[in-house]
Amino acid sequence: MRVHRLEIEAFGPFAGHVVVDVDALSAEGLFLIHGPTGSGKTSLLDAICFALYADVPGARSKNGLRSDHAPPDAVPRVTLDVTAGTRRLRIRRSPEFLRPKKRGTGWTRVQALVTLEERVDGRWVALSTRNDEVADVVKDALGMGMAQFAKVVLLPQGDFAAFLRATPEDRREVLERLFDISAFSDVESWLAEERRSAGAELERARRALSADLLRVEDVLADAGLAHGEATAESLVDAPAASVPERLRRVVEVLDARVSSTMAEFDAASGLERAAAEVLAAARSLADRRRRGARALAQLGALEAAQAQHEDRVRALAEAARAATVGGHLTAHDRAVADRAAAMEAADRTRARLAGSALAALTDDEVPGVAARLTALDETVRAIGLERAQATARARRREDLDARAERLAGRADEVAALVAEAERHREGFAAEVDVLAEEAAREPELELRLTAARDRLALLDQVEADEAAAGNLRPHRDGLRGSALDRRAELLDLRLRRIEGMAGELARGLVDGVPCPVCGGEEHPRPAHVADPVLAGDLELAEARLEAAEGELRVVERQLTELATRTETRRVALGEADRPSLEAAVEAAAALLAGSRGAVVARDEAAAHLATAVEALSARRAELVAITVDRASVAGLVAELDDEGSAAAARLEALLGQHERCPCSSDDPAEHVRLAEALVAHTASVSELAAAGSRTDAARADLEAALVTAGFADRQAAIAAVLSDVQTARWRGLVDAHVEQAAAAQAVMQDPEVVEALAAEQPDLPALEADARTTREALLAAAAAQDDAQRALRALERLLPAVDEACGAVGAAEARDARVRELADTTSGTGPDNTLRMRLTAYVLAARLEKVADLANERLAVMGGGRYVLEHSDERAARGARSGLGLRVLDQWTGRVRDTATLSGGESFMASLALALGLADAVREEAGGLDLGTLFIDEGFGSLDDDSLEQVLTVLDGLREGGRAVGVVSHVADLRARITHQAVVHKGAAGSTVEVRAGGVPSEPAA
């Protein structure tokens, strides 16, 4: 993966638009990102991570990424141009943020946005704007998630210093996030689940066997067997292997019990059968005796009721003859009633003609006159219809006249409204054109304001650098004087040392010991120096001189940098001074404010214009509709006038046809009433004549039927009639009397009844008691036999289940032992796992060993070959898990040291080597993704010059194969060693970035 370009706007501490051309920075392979604390160096790395993953690493939150220094309407945005594998991608992402409402007060939430593009055939092609699709493309292209990316590409020294000194358990959590060991953790989980499953299966098998044995115990208890050596009491606690054999001995005992109960049942069955036969014969004799007694009693009762029976027979015969004339009686009564009703109807219809010109008509004249009226019915209906239509036309004409008057007034009003709406539209259109021209200048004015602000900010930086240089110069002069003083002091000490060499030699002379100069053993006049200069004094003076000169060099380098930067920026500013630059900013801001105001005013005017156009269209449409309605009303009036003329002619002709009508009335309603009255009276007269004929015929039929049935008159026939209920009751009593007599005679003639009445009464209670006793004995024998057979069958059915349950228990115990041993071993709790290492920890230990090997390749260069990182799998104290330990081998002393004993600089080098080793290992794990760009964040301040040189040598080695390495640090020495730099400046208005290629500042990036 290689980063080409990063653009930031209103993001983090950066209020404006920041462009970091990483391709230009990484031309030499190694570049520096530096600036004061809190300026936003790490925010540049956060922007890269946010563009790729929509989140930031570490404890920082993606909420509040929008710059607090940016204007309220500024949109936070990050654009990243990156190559991953063979694909060149550009990701533009904006976080969720709050902006002021365009109308009214308050804030509105703006949703997060993302755009993904790919470089194809020399042009950018849009791929997606969906978060999930962009995340999938990034994950496929990079081959790693954000946690791995933050540890592999953005190397955070602080995190790996903690990793270096972490406990094995904490180190395991970090490695699990970086390396994919899901397959091995799945194995652990699967074995743990299998262990639970095997234990549960064994418990289920044991419960199933216990349940079967409890059923055996219930069977034996129901069979009445006492617990003994071969019963269920001895089976429950017995080993599973011995249970089937013991259960078979129980079956043999039950089989013998079945044989004995079968013999007892056969004997009881014979006794019960004999007693039942004797009882049945006695019950039959007693029943025949009871039947004979009941028949004798019934015959006596029937004899007493014989006279009443004969009366009912005679009454039923007379009722049967009366029924033959019942229909004639009903027909005669109905005919009389119909004639009376017809006479009343004729009187009513005659009354409807009273008071009219037809009241004097006789019944014979009525049909003819009715026919004449009926012939003119259609003419009368036509007259009524014409008159009704004429009335309706008159009302319709009045309505149309009123509507025409209203439409004329409304047309005048709408015409005036159309003219007014046209004037409004023209005014708003002219206003929109003027404001649109002013609003179109907004992008140009924004660029002008940005350029003016950039030049003013450049002047601020120049003045700040000049002030800083002015503050440093007295300090530099003082340091120069101090360095000269230290150099003079050192020269003075060296001269005094040379001058006092004789005294120094004299202090070491001893009598009898040869002089190191002349070789004499006697020393009569040794030299003496009052204030000798020792070697330690010279070393101390040299150290003071070196410190003073080093401090002087730092200040002079800072002054040189400030002078170079000031000169470059002065050239860029030309002759411009602060008043002119501030005036330019104010003028550009005023113009931009006016343009932005024009944008708002243009939008408002456009809205008014749209409303005016809509209103004008509505008024015009209304005027057209009114015109159409007026034309329609005029046409309807003309049609009504034409229809009225034709209708008047038709009505006059109809009235001429009706002049000869017998009703003598021009009113159609009176004509209809008289016609209906004549028709009704004709029908009632005809019905009266028919009713009289039907009454005479019914009277003749009734008289003939009475003679035939043998009745003297109709009253005698009516008296003989019985109701249906009484007839049915008496006929039932007669039939029952006859049937009961026949049945009693039949019983008394039965030979068995005659024989039973002659015999003695049997003793039924004694015989029933004997039968009951033998029956109870038979039931008891049958129950004992059933219990024994049922228990035997139940045990025979249970035998296969018990055998299977015993086998299942044995198999479950064997599987549980195997699975438990393997699961305990992989989880680190088994007795054979002496290091208490889980399977995942064992896999991570191999990864850690590989990381240590890769880290040592870098540490050998950075540490001068002194230290070697070693992976340790020593057993931890107090039963803790082992296998992920790290220690340091000091090759100068040959001793192994704890990582916590390393100094600050040594710890940084070891942590950096470990971070690079982890990055290489994760890269190999992720499929060998080529990391074209790396970032190393802080930690260089703890190194001395030699160690810093060695670390930079390692970083130079990372550049092999075209890799770019970005160092994030505020260490001053790195600025002279790394010439390609991105300098982050912070200020009250937000941070800016200055890109320097080869030590030469480029145009400001913000």
Side-chain angles (χ1 to χ4, degrees):
M1 186 206 77
R2 175 174 291 278
V3 177
H4 301 287
R5 182 181 176 89
L6 174 66
E7 295 185 35
I8 304 173
E9 185 173 356
F11 184 89
F14 303 101
H17 184 211
V18 174
V19 178
V20 181
D21 189 348
V22 182
D23 281 340
L25 278 175
S26 59
E28 294 296 325
L30 187 64
F31 60 94
L32 174 68
I33 301 175
H34 74 89
T37 301
S39 60
K41 301 186 296 296
T42 304
S43 294
L44 295 176
L45 308 186
D46 288 346
I48 294 174
C49 205
F50 176 76
L52 291 172
Y53 298 103
D55 203 352
V56 293
R60 297 178 296 277
S61 172
K62 67 178 180 180
N63 296 326
L65 292 178
R66 186 184 181 279
S67 176
D68 294 332
H69 302 283
D73 56 347
V75 178
R77 187 180 295 109
V78 175
T79 303
L80 179 66
D81 184 357
V82 63
T83 294
T86 59
R87 305 179 70 178
R88 178 90 175 256
L89 303 175
R90 183 167 68 188
I91 306 170
R92 182 176 292 106
R93 198 183 290 273
S94 175
E96 183 182 89
F97 68 98
L98 296 175
R99 66 164 177 79
K101 292 183 177 179
K102 293 183 178 179
R103 295 186 179 180
T105 61
W107 299 83
T108 184
R109 186 174 301 278
V110 180
Q111 298 298 322
L113 300 175
V114 64
T115 302
L116 175 64
E117 298 173 293
E118 183 173 6
R119 191 77 171 177
V120 180
D121 296 333
R123 62 187 183 90
W124 291 104
V125 178
L127 294 184
S128 178
T129 57
R130 288 180 50 180
N131 281 312
D132 53 348
E133 293 178 353
V134 173
D136 291 340
V137 173
V138 171
K139 184 66 179 294
D140 292 341
L142 296 183
M144 63 181 77
M146 189 185 74
Q148 289 179 311
F149 181 85
K151 297 294 188 290
V152 173
V153 179
L154 313 177
L155 302 181
Q157 181 270 337
D159 288 354
F160 281 91
F163 179 79
L164 181 69
R165 298 185 176 92
T167 64
E169 188 65 22
D170 294 337
R171 196 171 287 124
R172 177 185 62 80
E173 293 180 2
V174 175
L175 292 173
E176 282 183 349
R177 290 196 301 266
L178 294 179
F179 295 101
D180 184 11
I181 59 169
S182 57
F184 302 98
S185 60
D186 289 345
V187 170
E188 280 187 8
S189 301
W190 180 80
L191 285 173
E193 182 61 31
E194 285 297 302
R195 176 174 56 194
R196 289 191 293 272
S197 175
E201 183 179 351
L202 175 58
E203 182 62 24
R204 286 195 298 272
R206 287 173 175 169
R207 285 201 302 268
L209 179 58
S210 298
D212 289 340
L213 294 179
L214 289 175
R215 284 197 289 272
V216 170
E217 185 177 19
D218 293 341
V219 169
L220 295 178
D222 293 341
L225 291 180
H227 295 307
E229 180 181 357
T231 63
E233 187 176 20
S234 61
L235 293 174
V236 171
D237 300 324
S242 64
V243 168
E245 181 60 31
R246 297 191 181 193
L247 188 58
R248 282 171 174 77
R249 290 201 297 271
V250 176
V251 171
E252 294 175 357
V253 173
L254 278 176
D255 189 51
R257 170 68 64 87
V258 170
S259 299
S260 63
T261 55
M262 289 179 65
E264 294 172 358
F265 175 77
D266 291 341
S269 178
L271 294 175
E272 190 274 338
R273 191 164 46 251
E277 290 175 355
V278 172
L279 178 60
R283 285 175 174 171
S284 177
L285 176 62
D287 181 64
R288 290 195 298 273
R289 288 177 61 82
R290 283 193 298 273
R291 288 175 59 202
R294 284 197 301 270
L296 286 173
Q298 192 170 23
L299 287 174
L302 292 174
E303 183 66 25
Q306 182 65 31
Q308 188 176 8
H309 168 69
E310 291 175 353
D311 291 340
R312 290 192 185 103
V313 170
R314 284 194 298 272
L316 287 173
E318 289 181 359
R321 287 187 291 108
T324 60
V325 299
H328 296 285
L329 288 171
T330 302
H332 178 265
D333 294 342
R334 185 184 302 116
V336 172
D338 289 345
R339 185 176 181 281
M343 187 174 294
E344 292 178 0
D347 293 340
R348 285 195 302 272
T349 55
R350 165 63 69 176
R352 291 172 62 183
L353 296 175
S356 68
L358 305 178
L361 292 177
T362 64
D363 291 342
D364 295 334
E365 294 173 339
V366 166
V369 175
R372 290 172 59 194
L373 262 70
T374 302
L376 293 173
D377 284 349
E378 290 299 327
T379 301
V380 171
R381 278 196 293 273
I383 292 171
L385 180 60
E386 290 294 342
R387 287 176 175 173
Q389 289 177 350
T391 303
R393 278 194 300 272
R395 288 196 297 269
R396 178 64 173 162
R397 177 61 184 269
E398 292 176 358
D399 293 341
L400 289 176
D401 291 341
R403 183 179 177 187
E405 184 177 356
R406 290 195 302 272
L407 288 175
R410 182 58 182 168
D412 295 338
E413 294 176 1
V414 173
L417 292 175
V418 167
E420 183 180 0
E422 181 64 30
R423 288 194 299 274
H424 286 171
R425 185 195 65 77
E426 292 175 354
F428 286 131
E431 185 179 357
V432 167
D433 294 339
V434 173
L435 292 173
E437 183 177 355
E438 179 66 20
R441 299 183 59 202
E442 182 181 4
E444 172 193 351
L445 295 176
E446 285 181 346
L447 293 175
R448 182 185 298 181
L449 178 59
T450 300
R453 285 174 174 171
D454 290 344
R455 288 174 62 80
L456 183 58
L458 193 61
L459 179 60
D460 292 339
Q461 294 169 357
V462 167
E463 292 177 350
D465 289 346
E466 288 176 345
N471 293 332
L472 283 176
R473 288 189 188 98
H475 184 47
R476 178 198 61 188
D477 295 340
L479 291 176
R480 282 179 178 175
S482 178
L484 291 175
D485 293 341
R486 295 290 182 264
R487 186 174 295 279
E489 179 185 358
L490 177 61
L491 291 175
D492 180 61
L493 289 174
R494 285 176 178 172
L495 289 174
R496 290 171 57 196
R497 176 70 187 279
I498 294 172
E499 293 172 355
M501 288 298 293
E504 186 175 348
L505 290 173
R507 283 196 302 271
L509 294 178
V510 178
D511 291 338
V513 178
C515 175
V517 178
C518 64
E521 295 182 357
E522 295 180 359
H523 317 293
R525 292 188 301 277
H528 177 71
V529 178
D531 186 14
V533 177
L534 304 179
D537 296 333
L538 289 175
E539 292 177 357
L540 182 59
E542 289 174 352
R544 287 197 294 267
L545 174 60
E546 184 178 356
E549 289 180 344
E551 190 174 357
L552 177 60
R553 285 195 300 271
V554 171
V555 173
E556 287 179 341
R557 187 184 307 114
Q558 291 176 350
L559 284 171
T560 301
E561 291 177 357
L562 290 172
T564 302
R565 192 158 59 222
T566 300
E567 182 180 358
T568 302
R569 290 171 175 166
R570 282 292 185 188
V571 171
L573 288 172
E575 299 299 327
D577 56 2
R578 178 170 293 278
S580 64
L581 292 176
E582 291 178 346
V585 170
E586 292 177 0
L591 291 174
L592 180 58
S595 179
R596 287 176 175 171
V599 171
V600 176
R602 179 202 60 194
D603 294 340
E604 294 178 354
H608 292 317
L609 175 60
T611 303
V613 170
E614 184 178 355
L616 177 60
S617 299
R619 296 304 183 189
R620 286 176 174 171
E622 185 180 1
L623 184 58
V624 171
I626 291 172
T627 303
V628 172
D629 286 348
R630 294 180 67 185
S632 176
V633 169
L636 292 175
V637 169
E639 291 177 1
L640 284 177
D641 292 341
D642 294 341
E643 289 178 2
S645 300
R650 290 195 301 272
L651 179 60
E652 185 178 358
L654 291 171
L655 290 174
Q657 295 175 8
H658 188 258
E659 287 179 353
R660 295 183 299 276
C661 181
C663 70
S664 302
S665 174
D666 292 337
D667 186 2
E670 179 65 14
H671 175 93
V672 171
R673 186 183 71 78
L674 291 176
E676 291 175 351
L678 289 176
V679 171
H681 188 61
T682 301
S684 62
V685 170
S686 177
E687 176 61 23
L688 178 60
S693 299
R694 289 195 300 272
T695 300
D696 294 340
R699 184 182 300 109
D701 292 341
L702 174 60
E703 292 174 353
L706 289 173
V707 172
T708 303
F711 290 104
D713 54 21
R714 60 176 292 166
Q715 297 301 324
I718 292 171
V721 173
L722 295 176
S723 67
D724 293 341
V725 175
Q726 188 176 12
T727 299
R729 186 166 64 82
W730 282 9
R731 184 173 289 113
L733 292 174
V734 170
D735 294 342
H737 183 92
V738 175
E739 292 174 357
Q740 289 174 3
Q745 290 293 339
V747 170
M748 294 305 299
Q749 294 174 4
D750 187 354
E752 293 183 352
V753 173
V754 175
E755 182 181 357
L757 289 174
E760 294 183 359
Q761 179 70 27
D763 188 1
L764 289 178
L767 294 176
E768 289 175 349
D770 291 341
R772 193 162 46 251
T773 301
T774 57
R775 180 63 179 171
E776 291 174 353
L778 176 63
L779 292 175
Q785 179 184 354
D786 290 343
D787 290 343
Q789 289 178 337
R790 187 165 52 253
L792 179 60
R793 289 194 299 271
L795 288 182
E796 289 174 345
R797 288 196 302 271
L798 287 173
L799 273 175
V802 172
D803 290 343
E804 183 179 355
C806 291
V809 169
E813 288 175 344
R815 181 174 181 271
D816 179 68
R818 291 194 305 271
V819 173
R820 186 171 298 279
E821 179 181 6
L822 184 56
D824 290 346
T825 300
T826 56
S827 63
T829 59
D832 296 334
N833 193 335
T834 57
L835 294 179
R836 294 179 58 78
M837 289 180 64
R838 294 168 55 179
L839 176 62
T840 51
Y842 179 80
V843 174
L844 290 176
R847 301 290 194 277
L848 182 59
E849 189 171 2
K850 176 65 174 177
V851 169
D853 292 341
L854 294 171
N856 285 329
E857 295 178 5
R858 310 284 167 67
L859 188 58
V861 178
M862 288 188 288
R866 179 177 179 180
Y867 296 111
V868 175
L869 291 173
E870 289 186 345
H871 161 246
S872 173
D873 58 1
E874 291 182 356
R875 183 168 182 175
R878 294 186 295 276
R881 301 186 186 275
S882 309
L884 295 178
L886 269 181
R887 59 189 182 183
V888 177
L889 172 62
D890 189 341
Q891 297 193 111
W892 288 6
T893 63
R895 299 185 62 184
V896 175
R897 297 167 54 184
D898 188 270
T899 55
T901 62
L902 295 175
S903 67
E906 292 169 344
S907 178
F908 168 71
M909 289 188 292
S911 300
L912 179 58
L914 189 60
L916 294 173
L918 258 168
D920 290 341
V922 172
R923 178 168 60 90
E924 294 178 5
E925 183 82 8
L929 178 67
D930 183 21
L931 300 179
T933 305
L934 292 176
F935 295 92
I936 301 173
D937 193 356
E938 289 299 345
F940 296 90
S942 60
L943 302 178
D944 56 31
D945 290 344
D946 293 338
S947 298
L948 182 60
E949 191 65 37
Q950 292 167 348
V951 170
L952 290 178
T953 300
V954 172
L955 297 181
D956 283 336
L958 293 177
R959 297 185 295 178
E960 296 177 0
R963 182 182 295 175
V965 180
V967 175
V968 182
S969 177
H970 58 269
V971 175
D973 287 348
L974 292 178
R975 303 174 195 172
R977 296 170 182 265
I978 304 175
T979 58
H980 285 62
Q981 303 173 3
V983 184
V984 185
H985 304 284
K986 69 177 181 179
S991 296
T992 59
V993 177
E994 176 188 355
V995 177
R996 298 177 180 177
V1000 179
S1002 64
E1003 288 296 325

